[in-house]
Amino acid sequence: MLSFKLNGRDITTDAPSDATLLWVLTDDLKQHGVKFGCGLSQCGACDVMIDGAVVRSCQTKLSSAGGRSVTTLAGLMENGKASKLQQAFIDEQAAQCGYCLSGMIMTAQALLDRNPTPTESDVRAALNGNLCRCGTHTRIIRAVLRAAA
Amino acid sequence: MNAPFDMNRRQILRTTGFLTLTFAMPSNLFAQEVQSPEGVGISGGPGLPTDLKKNPMLSSWLRINSDGTVTLLIGKVELGQGNRTAIAQVCAEELGVNFSRLQIIAGDTKLCPDEGVTSGSTSMPDGATAVQYASAEARGILLGLAATKLGQPAETMKVKDGTITAGNGKTVTYWDLVVGKALDVKATGNPKRENPSDYTIVGTSMPRVDIPAKMTGGEIFIQDMHPEGVVYGMVARPPNYRSKLKSIDLGPIEKMPGVIKVVRNGSFLGVIAKTKDEAMAASAALGKAGKWDVPNDMIGNAAIYDWLLKAPSSPNVIHTQKRTSSGTPAKTVEATYRRPYVMHGSIGASAAIAQLGTDGVMTIHTHSQSVWQTAEAIAKMLKVDNDKVRCIHTQGSGCYGHNMADDAAADAALLAAAVPGMPVKLQYTRAQEHQWEPYSSAMVIKIKAGVDNDGNVLDWETDVWSTSHATRPGGNAGNLLSAQYLDPPFKQPTPRDIPGPNFGSGRNAIPLYEFPGKIVTTHFVSEMPIRVSSTRSLGAHPNIFALESFIDELARNANVDPLEYRLRFLKDERARAVLMKAADLFGWSGYKRKPNYGRGIAFARYKNYAALTAVAMEIRVTPRNGQVQVLRVAVADDSGQVVNPNGLANQMEGAVIQSLSWTLKEEVKFSDSAILSSDWASYPILTFQEVPKIDVALINQPGMPFLGTGEAGQGPTAAAVANAIYDAVGVRLYTLPLTPDRVKEAMNAKK
Ligand code: FES
Ligand code: FES
């Protein structure tokens, strides 16, 4: 039995402590905003926050979440509404397929948390490890800057 | 057990007083990637758009529900290109209802009209045009019903959001009118359509209906689905394409934690387990446990171009125009261009969920682009009747063509067949996706031109060598990867080049420039040393890279500005307009030269009859290491009547970035025994720090046919980069990708 906070709620799971955090979040806890892309820490589709820091959940064991606070894309919502950053992504229509987006938004949120007024090159640097195949990059950059404004 | 698996759709279909539906039988489409010949969505008969001709019953497209909603059924599926929203806009516009009333069901083989494959940028020309005609015709029928009911002439009636007002002020709504079978009629193809100048929905940047869920963690992708009782399937692939499984001891795998079932059939290996971790561990063990025959006879990637030129091929002259003027060229210019295999490279590994129901029907959630034909292929693989396989399109990661989506559907079905009743969810590993997907074929293109003393082309000759661009399932089990490894195996059919001059390897090989003499020949190689199939733009990316690089070279030889040179030979007004618009947006005429900075421009009309696109860009080369940084890109596009400007620009931006990635970085590497590009480290793609600023200008053509946009940017972008490199440092590169090493090497050779 392992306990942690998921998006502010207390969770106890009987999944083994060496289970992959990604699969516990998606398959057991139905966190749709967590995506499997590579399983190799190369793409960022699976990014979530543990205690405010972005981790690649595909390469993170469940045990790392024990006693800590995990935030997924759904956890960024405020009172059932899109957060400022999520709304900025919607306003910029910053998606094609959107598969990479949850990781992008988590990583961007972590950037804004530590630097509320990033420059364009800060945004590019922060997101450089997150891959998008559809080519939505320029819109994603605009969305992050819009949320910071 | 079926209920939760299928619930959303059942809820959507909960209807009261709907029009009786007659579903068109899935028609067996003859070929893949075959689009309407004129790119206007209308073929084979006066007035009737292609997809409406295939599915003529209006009720197979539209359902007017008594609760004030409209259900739109379509066969074109959402791949992230935004077609769901754009097609719905067209429906709402022509039917005369608010957009918010529409419920859309797409790509369910049991419910939707069979629109074949969602490919070739045909969602708008074929799909939206069919919906436009069907909706306009339905509106006419509803007006007729209202005329009878209100005793007023139909001509005097106006419609606003489903409420019809007659000349005498009396009103009736669509929802009051609809009882019985009013739309159970065949389309005539001759409806009264709305005047484009009155459009209020078409031409607006309606926000995409699928985006909010994607930004907030909603359930929208197959990967998000967890039907009740779901179990996890994985496959274990052979070491390479032609490996055969000699023996394997399944015993130890069966005893691994969580394993429900291990499946072996010939050289196909799969496992079903209670959790994804357990399925992954078991499939990894399965792969290692096998004793394989591994032939080491693959052609390495470096040798592929020579192989292509020497392999048996069938020359096909796809275009010829004899020069009528006399005179011998003053000079002959020749060049050979090469493009390696590139991959679709979806960010999400392909996935599917399949379940064998008690009724014997295999229901599969798939992100395939070709649900009907893939369902048929899977039925053949499972040796069941076609109606025993139902595919339901559910969104997945962007695919950009025929990627592993269909194979995932087939593999999920193979595993689900072994555990009847259990929904089996399958998602590949990254290596399985990278190493087994059907790539875009490597190609060689030779161009030769005879020019006069002023550098004007007299004779133009193009030769194209390529393997297939079309091995989609197409109703044939042999095109499903795993089916080739079963016992007995399904043999993959020998591919043919897609007929017609603009569909496969020859796509955009024919110059639109008005030269006196032209001959274009494709050399189609049916053998496939590397698995290949349809990838965004098919042959157009390499062909336009070659053609538009060559034009640039001719312009330079003639000492003429590359823009001016193109305009000299381009007579079509729309073509000229996009070129000039891109140049304008870029600031071509006032461009200030700086050392190691350069500008390039390129043009194409996709498929030579669809969207017209010109791309201009500025790049910087770092001479020390040959690094190319693309700084800014200006695109002008004419896709006919624009339905959703923001969505169109989004597609174009994506096309430019993806093409830059192919053009600058991508090459599938392989040795004599394995595909070496197995992850994002061994197959890098463009990242945020490499992405330029992109401006897109749209040229709207009100009332003109929708031309489709998704693939139009791939080719011009590639050539514009190569042309800009030449402009910056005076070296011309003929082989993709345009890597720093190649730039550096060419610069050294020039010194
Ligand atoms: S899935 Fe975790 S980084 Fe790609
Ligand atoms: S939007 Fe499709 S991968 Fe980024």
Side-chain angles (χ1 to χ4, degrees):
Chain A
M1 285 295 187
L2 202 128
S3 298
F4 62 96
K5 262 199 191 343
L6 173 64
N7 299 332
R9 276 184 305 131
D10 290 316
I11 290 282
T12 302
T13 165
D14 56 7
S17 63
D18 66 346
T20 306
L21 181 60
L22 166 65
W23 304 122
V24 175
L25 290 173
T26 57
D27 298 349
D28 296 350
L29 301 169
K30 308 289 179 268
Q31 293 302 301
H32 309 309
V34 188
K35 296 286 186 285
F36 173 82
C38 65
L40 304 164
S41 280
Q42 293 177 343
C43 75
C46 66
D47 286 351
V48 300
M49 288 184 202
I50 298 184
D51 289 345
V54 174
V55 300
R56 303 243 138 136
S57 63
C58 69
Q59 291 274 302
T60 304
K61 296 287 172 220
L62 173 61
S63 55
S64 315
R68 299 170 72 183
S69 180
V70 176
T71 310
T72 69
L73 186 63
L76 296 185
M77 292 179 67
E78 292 155 7
N79 307 319
K81 285 215 177 72
S83 70
K84 190 176 179 197
L85 179 62
Q86 288 168 323
Q87 190 57 48
F89 271 75
I90 295 171
D91 293 341
E92 290 291 346
Q93 294 285 291
Q96 286 174 63
C97 77
Y99 197 87
C100 66
L101 260 301
S102 29
M104 297 284 177
I105 295 175
M106 297 313 292
T107 306
Q109 185 62 55
L111 166 69
L112 294 177
D113 289 346
R114 59 175 193 270
N115 175 5
T117 53
T119 61
E120 182 180 324
S121 65
D122 294 339
V123 176
R124 286 177 186 263
L127 291 174
N128 210 46
N130 285 66
L131 300 179
C132 174
R133 184 57 160 169
C134 294
T136 312
H137 306 71
T138 52
R139 285 170 182 248
I140 293 169
I141 295 167
R142 281 208 301 275
V144 180
L145 293 173
R146 177 195 272 248
Chain B
M1 177 143 315
N2 255 329
F5 191 50
D6 216 14
M7 187 119 82
N8 289 341
R9 271 149 217 278
R10 291 247 227 116
Q11 281 167 345
I12 289 167
L13 291 178
R14 165 192 51 80
T15 45
T16 43
F18 60 87
L19 295 157
T20 312
L21 299 184
T22 310
F23 289 105
M25 290 303 291
S27 59
N28 194 353
L29 294 176
F30 46 99
Q32 306 157 39
E33 306 279 348
V34 172
Q35 289 85 26
S36 34
E38 298 309 317
V40 296
I42 297 179
S43 69
L48 216 53
T50 313
D51 288 2
L52 196 52
K53 192 175 170 136
K54 274 189 257 168
N55 308 277
M57 299 300 287
L58 295 179
S59 53
S60 59
W61 298 88
L62 283 167
R63 191 182 278 203
I64 312 287
N65 305 314
S66 60
D67 63 357
T69 60
V70 174
T71 306
L72 170 65
L73 301 133
I74 49 176
K76 296 293 186 193
V77 297
E78 179 68 57
L79 310 167
Q81 79 285 49
N83 69 356
R84 194 185 189 85
T85 306
I87 294 172
Q89 281 179 259
V90 170
C91 173
E93 184 74 66
E94 290 292 346
L95 192 60
V97 299
N98 284 354
F99 185 78
S100 57
R101 291 192 187 270
L102 292 182
Q103 302 173 346
I104 304 142
I105 303 178
D108 184 327
T109 56
K110 193 170 161 193
L111 304 177
C112 300
D114 179 356
E115 292 192 75
V117 187
T118 304
S119 66
S121 300
T122 57
S123 287
M124 297 312 292
D126 291 350
T129 307
V131 166
Q132 184 180 37
Y133 277 64
S135 304
E137 193 140 0
R139 173 181 167 137
I141 290 170
L142 289 159
L143 285 177
L145 289 173
T148 310
K149 182 150 185 166
L150 300 176
Q152 293 287 313
E155 299 74 56
T156 65
M157 302 199 174
K158 295 223 160 18
V159 185
K160 193 158 191 255
D161 189 23
T163 296
I164 302 171
T165 308
N168 64 357
K170 287 212 178 123
T171 65
V172 63
T173 69
Y174 285 4
W175 348 108
D176 299 331
L177 283 172
V178 172
V179 279
K181 303 184 171 186
L183 298 189
D184 264 352
V185 293
K186 284 192 175 170
T188 64
N190 194 23
K192 185 173 176 308
R193 283 189 289 141
E194 202 173 339
N195 188 333
S197 59
D198 296 333
Y199 284 167
T200 57
I201 304 172
V202 165
T204 64
S205 290
M206 197 65 88
R208 258 178 48 194
V209 292
D210 54 323
I211 282 187
K214 291 175 175 175
M215 301 301 185
T216 53
E219 184 178 1
I220 187 159
F221 295 102
I222 287 186
Q223 286 88 346
D224 304 335
M225 290 178 64
H226 292 89
E228 207 176 292
V230 67
V231 291
Y232 297 89
M234 290 292 292
V235 297
R237 294 271 180 231
N240 69 20
Y241 293 132
R242 301 210 305 117
S243 301
K244 284 211 168 55
L245 185 59
K246 288 189 291 191
S247 65
I248 186 165
D249 179 6
L250 302 180
I253 317 288
E254 281 161 347
K255 291 190 202 75
M256 287 180 73
V259 170
I260 297 167
K261 184 120 187 168
V262 180
V263 178
R264 178 200 172 175
N265 181 345
S267 293
F268 172 79
L269 291 171
V271 58
I272 301 134
K274 287 196 194 120
T275 70
K276 182 77 184 181
D277 272 326
E278 290 161 345
M280 288 183 80
S283 70
L286 199 53
K288 289 201 189 93
K291 305 261 180 299
W292 299 89
D293 245 342
V294 187
N296 293 342
D297 59 354
M298 285 165 68
I299 304 155
N301 56 275
I304 197 67
Y305 303 115
D306 286 341
W307 181 88
L308 270 174
L309 293 172
K310 287 190 197 119
S313 66
S314 39
N316 179 21
V317 177
I318 60 170
H319 183 78
T320 177
Q321 174 185 305
K322 261 212 133 24
R323 176 157 64 96
T324 49
S325 61
S326 57
T328 29
K331 192 176 154 197
T332 300
V333 188
E334 291 181 70
T336 301
Y337 301 86
R338 299 172 185 86
R339 207 274 317 248
Y341 293 96
V342 297
M343 63 173 78
H344 301 84
S346 299
I347 293 299
S350 293
I353 305 180
Q355 182 182 35
L356 181 58
T358 46
D359 54 0
V361 174
M362 180 71 74
T363 302
I364 309 166
H365 284 268
T366 168
H367 51 95
S368 164
Q369 292 181 296
S370 60
V371 279
W372 283 271
Q373 295 156 311
T374 296
E376 192 187 335
I378 291 173
K380 289 190 179 138
M381 176 183 76
L382 299 176
K383 303 196 167 76
V384 298
D385 290 340
N386 284 354
D387 63 358
K388 293 289 186 221
V389 176
R390 175 187 182 186
C391 280
I392 301 174
H393 184 268
T394 307
Q395 292 189 55
S397 187
C399 60
Y400 330 105
H402 173 204
N403 71 342
M404 291 295 282
D406 307 273
D407 295 308
D411 287 348
L414 280 171
L415 298 179
V419 287
M422 294 186 184
V424 176
K425 180 171 180 173
L426 174 141
Q427 186 173 19
Y428 293 129
T429 64
R430 178 45 45 196
Q432 286 173 344
E433 185 85 13
H434 259 59
Q435 294 179 306
W436 290 89
E437 67 144 281
Y439 307 123
S440 184
S441 180
M443 287 173 62
V444 177
I445 297 130
K446 293 191 178 187
I447 309 184
K448 186 156 93 177
V451 298
D452 68 15
N453 280 323
D454 299 323
N456 296 322
V457 175
L458 297 176
D459 301 303
W460 177 288
E461 193 177 333
T462 299
D463 286 89
V464 176
W465 286 261
S466 178
T467 67
S468 181
H469 290 272
T471 68
R472 288 187 190 272
N476 194 320
N479 283 323
L480 298 169
L481 179 61
S482 293
Q484 299 166 12
Y485 296 88
L486 299 176
D487 182 23
F490 287 87
K491 205 175 150 336
Q492 182 165 31
T494 304
R496 308 176 285 135
D497 201 5
I498 309 173
N502 268 305
F503 293 117
S505 56
R507 182 166 283 177
N508 281 101
I510 303 167
L512 286 181
Y513 299 101
E514 300 196 4
F515 303 135
K518 290 190 236 183
I519 178 161
V520 179
T521 308
T522 54
H523 305 258
F524 181 73
V525 178
S526 62
E527 204 182 317
M528 293 180 287
I530 300 293
R531 190 177 188 224
V532 284
S533 194
S534 306
T535 308
R536 195 175 189 175
S537 88
L538 311 190
H541 174 256
N543 282 328
I544 297 168
F545 162 67
L547 196 166
E548 286 290 301
S549 291
F550 196 73
I551 286 281
D552 213 77
E553 188 166 339
L554 295 178
R556 303 289 176 161
N557 289 350
N559 270 320
V560 180
D561 174 272
L563 171 64
E564 198 188 312
Y565 190 81
R566 283 174 172 80
L567 292 173
R568 205 186 261 186
F569 302 104
L570 209 49
K571 300 281 155 11
D572 180 78
E573 282 310 320
R574 285 171 80 174
R576 297 172 65 86
V578 290
L579 255 174
M580 290 188 283
K581 184 85 194 171
D584 212 32
L585 188 65
F586 177 85
W588 191 265
S589 61
Y591 185 73
K592 297 236 169 5
R593 312 213 122 268
K594 280 188 276 182
N596 303 318
Y597 284 66
R599 59 177 175 164
I601 195 164
F603 158 82
R605 177 165 201 179
Y606 187 53
K607 297 185 268 194
N608 280 2
Y609 61 72
L612 304 102
T613 308
V615 175
M617 69 175 70
E618 181 176 36
I619 63 128
R620 180 184 59 226
V621 177
T622 308
R624 177 176 48 83
N625 56 15
Q627 191 77 42
V628 175
Q629 178 86 33
V630 181
L631 303 169
R632 60 188 178 98
V633 180
V635 186
D637 177 77
D638 172 354
S639 286
Q641 165 78 55
V642 176
V643 175
N644 187 316
N646 188 284
L648 206 161
N650 197 0
Q651 280 287 281
M652 195 49 75
E653 291 158 25
V656 167
I657 292 172
Q658 190 175 67
S659 178
L660 285 177
S661 187
W662 292 355
T663 303
L664 289 166
K665 305 184 82 152
E666 298 184 27
E667 170 168 19
V668 176
K669 299 262 173 70
F670 44 98
S671 66
D672 63 349
S673 58
I675 303 286
L676 305 173
S677 301
S678 63
D679 61 11
W680 296 119
S682 48
Y683 189 87
I685 60 172
L686 212 67
T687 63
F688 272 92
Q689 290 179 321
E690 298 165 314
V691 164
K693 177 177 175 304
I694 304 169
D695 288 314
V696 180
L698 303 177
I699 299 176
N700 190 21
Q701 304 283 6
M704 298 287 275
F706 314 126
L707 296 179
T709 306
E711 301 163 294
Q714 311 296 122
T717 302
V721 184
N723 297 341
I725 293 172
Y726 181 85
D727 192 54
V729 289
V731 298
R732 195 158 284 284
L733 300 183
Y734 300 91
T735 302
L736 294 176
L738 310 175
T739 57
D741 285 351
R742 289 203 168 115
V743 176
K744 184 77 196 141
E745 198 186 318
M747 289 174 72
N748 287 342
K750 191 183 150 224
K751 271 184 205 153

